[in-house]
Structures are given as structure tokens and as C-alpha cells.
Amino acid sequence: MRDHHLIEEKIENREVFSGRLLKVQVDRVRLPDGAEVTREYILHPGAVVVIAVLDNGKLLFERQFRYPLGRVFLELPAGKIDPGEEILECAVRELREETGYEASEWSYLGLTHPCIGYSDERLEYFLARGLTHVGHDLDDEEFLEVLEMSVEDAYAAVLDGRITDGKTIAGLFLARNSLLGSP
């Protein structure tokens, strides 16, 4: 392997917290130069993000309160992957639960790792078209508003700071060619 001079070796692992969503780990590792240090990180089950395009060309967004930052954010529909769940199955479920829409066309856009310094979280992105409204099916603990936004307004909202959510910004970037045409 060409990267052997960069690889850290796990010596010891300790779980310090296990919750419904996250697990916090502390590992003792050996650095490439032989020194030993600790690494703290979060295990996350991963999530999907859906860029849902309505027949009128507008995108579906959500407004949702996010407790860690104490405010409402404008973001794309997204949700946690359940154990054993296929990522497309998760995307279909999350779009239906959160927005009340089902899609007849699905395209996989890609993968990001949003927090590489402290988490193994991965985000899987899908573009959904051919939407039909069938009614919401929110989880008991979910409170959100669904709204439509033009593609141009969505990109403008990123640039003017109305959209600061990283998964939404990454999703709009990954969907750029599909939404605006090839550069």
C-alpha cells in the first residue's frame, strides 16, 4: 500500500457512550512514527439526502429546528439509515415520511463524509423526480415545514447565508449538472 507512511494503527478501543443515534469511542493508536496518542470519534449509522425535483422544476426543502444550534434551518430532506436498510429504500422512506411525496425516478448522485476529523458518518445523495404527493408520515418526534424553492433561489440562499447546512450545500453541488445542465 502506498499510504503506509500515513496509517495509524489501533492499539486499544473503549466505548465511552452509546445512545440511540451515536456512539462515542476513544482509541489509543500508534502513529506512523511509533508515537502513541488517543483519538476520540463518533460512530454514526449514516444517512441519505434527497434532492427532490417537482414537475414545476422547484425543489423540496424543509424548515426544521435543530437543537444543538438552537435555531431553525433550511435544508434538504434527509434521514438516518436504519440497520440493514438499503440506501435507496431509506431515501424512499425519508422522502415519504418528511415531505409526503413519492418519486417514480431515482438517481444516485454520490457520497460525502461530512465530519472526517471526528466521525465515520457518511451521507448518500439521491435525485428524485416524478413526484406525487401522497401525504405526510412524520415520526412522532419530528416537526417541520415543507416548502418549494426554485433551483436559482436555492443556490442564491447558499451564497447569501440562508442555507448553511453542510449536507444541503453538498447535495446542491452534487446535483448541479442535473439541475442546471452540464457546464
Side-chain angles (χ1 to χ4, degrees):
M1 180 188 303
R2 295 184 352 213
D3 295 334
H4 69 277
H5 64 289
L6 301 173
I7 305 298
E8 299 177 4
E9 177 188 349
K10 184 187 307 185
I11 299 168
E12 180 180 59
N13 169 262
R14 181 170 53 99
E15 183 175 89
V16 294
F17 174 78
S18 181
R20 286 186 320 157
L21 174 62
L22 307 171
K23 295 179 188 309
V24 179
Q25 309 285 306
V26 177
D27 288 2
R28 191 164 52 104
V29 302
R30 182 171 293 109
L31 299 177
D33 67 0
E36 292 183 13
V37 297
T38 60
R39 297 288 188 225
E40 301 168 350
Y41 59 98
I42 298 167
L43 298 178
H44 185 286
V48 298
V49 182
V50 180
I51 298 90
V53 184
L54 294 161
D55 289 343
N56 64 11
K58 292 186 176 183
L59 307 178
L60 288 179
F61 282 86
E62 301 172 355
R63 291 184 68 246
Q64 188 170 191
F65 181 81
R66 294 302 190 171
Y67 185 82
L69 292 167
R71 62 176 271 232
V72 173
F73 284 85
L74 183 59
E75 57 190 283
L76 291 168
K80 176 181 72 68
I81 302 166
D82 289 338
E85 186 176 36
E86 295 294 324
I87 59 173
L88 178 57
E89 178 185 347
C90 180
V92 168
R93 176 179 54 78
E94 287 294 338
L95 181 65
R96 166 73 166 81
E97 285 178 4
E98 293 188 357
T99 70
Y101 282 87
E102 291 181 348
S104 61
E105 301 170 39
W106 290 90
S107 303
Y108 181 73
L109 294 174
L111 163 76
T112 66
H113 294 97
C115 311
I116 60 174
Y118 62 86
S119 177
D120 70 344
E121 181 179 10
R122 76 184 202 278
L123 298 173
E124 305 275 2
Y125 292 83
F126 287 91
L127 185 71
R129 294 184 186 271
L131 302 183
T132 304
H133 192 266
V134 295
H136 293 281
D137 189 20
L138 292 172
D139 291 337
D140 291 339
E141 299 174 3
E142 274 184 315
F143 298 89
L144 54 86
E145 296 174 356
V146 177
L147 59 113
E148 299 176 15
M149 184 179 278
S150 73
V151 173
E152 296 79 12
D153 286 347
Y155 286 106
V158 170
L159 295 175
D160 69 21
R162 286 177 288 146
I163 294 177
T164 61
D165 172 52
K167 73 179 177 307
T168 297
I169 294 169
L172 290 170
F173 178 82
L174 289 171
R176 186 173 190 278
N177 288 346
S178 296
L179 298 174
L180 299 176
S182 298

